[in-house]
Amino acid sequence: MIASNDIQTIKNKFGIIGNAPQLLHAIQIAVQVANTDLSVLVTGESGAGKENFPKIIHQYSTRKHNKYMVVNCGAIPEGTIDSELFGHEKGSFTGALTDRKGYFEVADGGTIFLDEVGELPLSTQARLLRVLEVGEFIKVGSSQVLKTNVRVIAATNRNLPQAIKEGKFREDLYYRLNTIHIKVPPLRERVNDIVPLFTKFTTEYAEKNRRPVISLTADAQKLLRKCYWRGNIRELKNVAERLSAIETENIIDATTLSLYLPDQAESTLPQLVSKQDEGKTFSSEREILYTVLFDMKKDMDELKKTVKLLMEQQKGNISNVSSSVISNETALLPMAHAHSNEPTEDFIEVQEYDEEPTLSVEEMEKKLIKETLEKHNGKRNIAAKDLGISERTLYRKIKTYGLE
Ligand SMILES: Nc1ncnc2c1ncn2[C@@H]1O[C@H](COP(=O)(O)OP(=O)(O)OP(=O)(O)O)[C@@H](O)[C@H]1O
Ligand SMILES: [Mg+2]
């Protein structure tokens, strides 16, 4: 057990704000296991602060004078990741003009942080398992077994048990990485940390840009604490910095603050998941968004069908509408119009809607990706984060949809 003033020292050293018991517990575990060689898996939502933990572990271990390497598994193309991690021999593939050392060779004696480990291709997962189990690896194009002594810390915001079920992640590797599990709590589960974090970011901004520090009214603080914070601390930081940069008043009330907060519809998304969806597991909130969108689209299609039938019925073309095509909810609205004095106006609007091209799932996804890329001026890493997918998945989709 580490004394609480030692935890405070660590928090100061790594710029960690917050007093939530789950956060303090996570720091406690990191320090406790630092001096072992056990693999550690850090999980938590995007922007929750996972990257602090491998740093703490390395710094508090006997490896601290050796290399600490961060590998973003989601950003390395599938074709080169084995060579990046384990090296290759000259001539092992087109473009391999010289021998190359991989990270596991370079970081011998140190620590490797495998960020976004859930994005590793299955073939690389097999190689990684071998290094973790026996400390051995083979360079791409070689047959010589090499030894290394590397401490591995991995992180992911993906639901790995779900990825295992889908056949995308090896179960044996999961257990091997998960020897020690550090769970970083999402911001919404540590609401008392929200205002102190916000203050840290606005103060830092003010100091850096020589501006007066802004402060929040009680109502604004309440609003900040109520937000869903899908992007966690990263999103909070973004709001704090935008507000500091744009607002000229030093005291910010709830109305002004609300202009900078994420879209509440998006923030409350998980609550949109209905009872019938409860059995489903979603690997990301983006997936929930898609599900909700598709359900809405299905409802819309049904509504359009109903309206069409009713219009035809009104014109006298159909004498008997089958009740099976009219669901209870969708029947209510057009029926009311059918008996009103102005029967056609609203129907005309719906008819116009009917002529709009209906987007397929792929087209919707393409549109979403295109817009997100535009929003971030083509910056793929930021767009990928915003979309809740890995950079590699984004690269693949950009290629597939010809968005280059
Ligand atoms: N406790 C904290 N106090 C202050 N700042 C923090 C804290 N935790 C994280 N941050 C800051 O929040 C931002 C996001 O943290 P980080 O990059 O560790 O998120 P992450 O969990 O790795 O997210 P992702 O899964 O998207 O990679 C960083 O700018 C980091 O410095
Ligand atoms: Mg990260």
Side-chain angles (χ1 to χ4, degrees):
M1 197 70 179
I2 314 151
S4 61
N5 54 344
D6 289 340
I7 294 209
Q8 191 54 50
T9 311
I10 295 166
K11 279 164 54 182
N12 294 344
K13 191 166 167 188
F14 291 89
I16 297 174
I17 299 284
N19 280 312
Q22 311 97 299
L23 177 74
L24 303 183
H25 180 65
I27 298 173
Q28 174 95 35
I29 296 182
V31 180
Q32 245 170 273
V33 301
N35 245 338
T36 69
D37 280 340
L38 298 172
S39 306
V40 180
L41 181 65
V42 186
T43 61
E45 290 179 14
S46 179
K50 295 186 287 298
E51 283 167 41
N52 289 322
F53 293 90
K55 286 184 204 152
I56 296 175
I57 294 171
H58 180 72
Q59 278 303 314
Y60 280 80
S61 76
T62 48
R63 296 172 180 266
K64 70 174 174 193
H65 298 299
N66 297 332
K67 282 223 155 45
Y68 172 71
M69 299 190 86
V70 181
V71 183
N72 186 339
C73 304
I76 305 173
E78 201 166 327
T80 56
I81 193 151
D82 282 355
S83 148
E84 294 278 336
L85 290 175
F86 306 104
H88 63 243
E89 280 209 334
K90 184 178 169 183
S92 53
F93 54 86
T94 326
L97 302 176
T98 51
D99 284 357
R100 182 186 180 282
K101 283 185 180 177
Y103 302 137
F104 274 90
E105 193 172 348
V106 176
D108 194 8
T111 308
I112 288 188
F113 170 36
L114 295 177
D115 202 3
E116 297 194 39
V117 74
E119 304 302 322
L120 279 182
L122 281 166
S123 56
T124 312
Q125 290 178 29
R127 284 175 181 265
L128 177 59
L129 184 66
R130 185 162 178 199
V131 176
L132 289 171
E133 289 195 320
V134 287
E136 287 176 0
F137 68 98
I138 299 173
K139 284 183 168 184
V140 175
S142 163
S143 53
Q144 194 193 347
V145 177
L146 299 173
K147 283 257 175 207
T148 187
N149 170 11
V150 172
R151 180 14 156 8
V152 173
I153 302 165
T156 184
N157 53 29
R158 276 184 74 173
N159 179 344
L160 287 186
Q162 180 62 23
I164 293 170
K165 274 192 206 142
E166 290 165 5
K168 291 179 187 152
F169 204 82
R170 289 179 68 117
E171 193 169 8
D172 44 10
L173 177 61
Y174 174 67
Y175 289 121
R176 186 78 212 184
L177 288 173
N178 202 17
T179 315
I180 302 293
H181 184 185
I182 293 181
K183 196 169 176 297
V184 185
L187 205 46
R188 83 190 77 86
E189 284 177 16
R190 36 186 289 217
V191 280
N192 289 339
D193 292 348
I194 294 178
V195 174
L197 275 163
F198 185 86
T199 308
K200 170 191 155 98
F201 297 135
T202 47
T203 311
E204 275 176 4
Y205 184 92
E207 276 169 10
K208 208 165 138 197
N209 297 285
R210 300 207 184 118
R211 299 262 298 259
V213 186
I214 56 166
S215 59
L216 299 175
T217 63
D219 273 358
Q221 292 189 12
K222 212 165 141 195
L223 182 61
L224 207 63
R225 291 159 59 95
K226 258 176 44 192
C227 219
Y228 188 79
W229 298 116
R230 184 176 164 267
N232 292 289
I233 301 179
R234 185 180 294 114
E235 187 175 25
L236 180 70
K237 188 175 182 182
N238 186 278
V239 169
E241 288 178 349
R242 266 190 303 135
L243 201 121
S244 304
I246 294 168
E247 287 304 319
T248 46
E249 293 295 323
N250 296 341
I251 296 173
I252 305 296
D253 62 14
T255 316
T256 307
L257 175 67
S258 66
L259 303 172
Y260 295 85
L261 293 180
D263 184 1
Q264 288 308 297
E266 197 177 274
S267 306
T268 52
L269 254 182
Q271 290 159 28
L272 288 174
V273 181
S274 65
K275 281 259 176 270
Q276 70 191 33
D277 291 327
E278 275 177 3
K280 292 184 201 167
T281 47
F282 297 95
S283 61
S284 71
E285 284 168 17
R286 177 79 29 198
E287 231 176 272
I288 299 174
L289 176 62
Y290 278 137
T291 310
V292 174
L293 275 175
F294 298 151
D295 284 350
M296 277 166 60
K297 191 173 165 294
K298 247 177 24 201
D299 288 347
M300 185 58 88
D301 289 345
E302 209 174 301
L303 184 66
K304 281 192 279 182
K305 254 195 254 165
T306 310
V307 169
K308 227 182 203 167
L309 273 165
L310 280 162
M311 283 183 73
E312 285 171 16
Q313 187 190 27
Q314 239 189 353
K315 281 184 205 154
N317 291 345
I318 299 177
S319 54
N320 192 6
V321 180
S322 159
S323 60
S324 66
V325 290
I326 306 175
S327 71
N328 286 342
E329 314 94 286
T330 52
L332 285 176
L333 180 74
M335 277 298 190
H337 283 284
H339 295 290
S340 81
N341 291 331
E342 318 117 316
T344 52
E345 272 177 25
D346 286 340
F347 288 156
I348 290 165
E349 265 189 43
V350 178
Q351 253 195 327
E352 282 173 4
Y353 198 95
D354 201 23
E355 280 162 17
E356 263 186 22
T358 318
L359 295 182
S360 67
V361 176
E362 284 78 18
E363 285 165 336
M364 279 168 73
E365 187 177 65
K366 182 177 173 184
K367 192 162 174 268
L368 186 66
I369 291 175
K370 192 162 171 269
E371 285 169 3
T372 312
L373 280 167
E374 278 165 10
K375 183 171 132 197
H376 298 297
N377 299 322
K379 291 209 175 86
R380 292 177 182 190
N381 52 348
I382 303 173
K385 282 239 155 81
D386 199 2
L387 287 161
I389 57 177
S390 71
E391 278 179 56
R392 200 170 48 237
T393 307
L394 181 61
Y395 287 137
R396 191 163 41 76
K397 288 189 185 290
I398 288 172
K399 256 199 173 149
T400 312
Y401 295 135
L403 294 172
E404 273 135 315

